[in-house]
């Protein structure tokens, strides 16, 4: 596994680890956080399975979710990642998927944008993909705004697990259209 640690002006992003479980559990039990992602809080069992999935993602593919912590003090903020979850979507994702989430107490401070920008820079420099993708619930206005801010543009609508989602794409800077090398 080629575990990448990313640092920004205010943040440290480390590959998710088993030691993140308590922080992840607190985050995924927060209904203000899960409202637009799962529509409900998750049990600790569900969080454990998500953590195992994410650990396996790093082991199998060399990338996945990063834990976001403040550089000063190490406070847990959330996660950002690049992954291939093989989602049951039409149209299917055919490029690296980005996802992010910051605890409600830290939203509106630019942390999600800072973490997402670092992850996108890693994708652009490390993966041979002409574009990256993400999906966002139409009512998740903060994520829609952030996606647009970092260069994602809508390209399709879909239904995922019985809920409408908007699919977005972001071309890698300098990539020729249709030049996906993955």
């Amino acid at each position: 596994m080629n575990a990448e640690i990313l640092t920004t002006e205010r943040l440290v992003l480390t590959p998710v680890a088993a030691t993140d479980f308590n922080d992840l559990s607190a985050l995924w039990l927060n209904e203000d956080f899960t409202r637009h992602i799962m529509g409900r809080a998750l049990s600790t069992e569900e969080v454990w399975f998500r953590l195992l999935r994410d650990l396996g993602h790093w082991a199998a593919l060399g990338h996945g979710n990063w834990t976001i912590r403040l550089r000063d003090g190490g406070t847990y903020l959330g996660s950002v990642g690049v992954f291939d979850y093989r989602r049951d979507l039409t149209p299917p994702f055919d490029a690296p998927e980005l996802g992010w989430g910051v605890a409600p107490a830290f939203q509106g401070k630019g942390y999600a944008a800072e973490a997402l920008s670092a992850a996108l820079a890693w994708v652009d420099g490390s993966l041979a993909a002409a574009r990256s993708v993400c999906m966002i619930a139409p009512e998740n206005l903060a994520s829609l705004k952030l996606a647009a801010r970092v260069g994602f543009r809508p390209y399709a609508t879909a239904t995922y697990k019985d809920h409408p989602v908007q699919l977005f794409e972001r071309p890698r800077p300098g990539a020729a259209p249709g030049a996906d090398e993955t």
Side-chain angles (χ1 to χ4, degrees), residues 142-160:
S143 281
L144 292 169
K145 184 177 175 181
L146 175 54
R149 183 170 151 196
V150 299
F152 281 102
R153 300 293 177 252
Y155 73 93
T157 57
T159 300
Y160 183 67

Side-chain angles (χ1 to χ4, degrees), residues 22-123:
N22 290 337
D23 289 325
L24 285 166
S25 291
L27 183 65
W28 286 95
L29 287 170
N30 183 329
E31 290 183 0
D32 288 335
F33 176 77
T34 61
R35 175 177 15 141
H36 297 304
I37 303 168
M38 304 294 287
R40 63 177 179 79
L42 299 185
S43 70
T44 54
E45 178 183 359
E46 290 171 309
V47 174
W48 180 247
F49 285 136
R50 288 180 68 88
L51 176 59
L52 293 176
R53 174 198 67 190
D54 291 342
L55 291 169
H57 205 284
W58 276 99
L61 300 177
H63 56 80
N65 269 316
W66 283 277
T67 294
I68 306 168
R69 294 189 184 276
L70 289 176
R71 284 180 76 166
D72 184 18
T75 302
Y76 178 84
L77 303 183
S79 65
V80 63
V82 53
F83 30 77
D84 178 0
Y85 288 155
R86 312 266 170 125
R87 296 191 190 274
D88 186 14
L89 280 172
T90 302
F93 280 155
D94 60 356
E97 178 185 357
L98 274 287
W100 59 89
V102 171
F106 298 101
Q107 292 175 3
K109 301 175 191 298
Y111 295 127
E114 193 171 326
L116 180 55
S117 294
L120 285 166
W122 183 88
V123 168

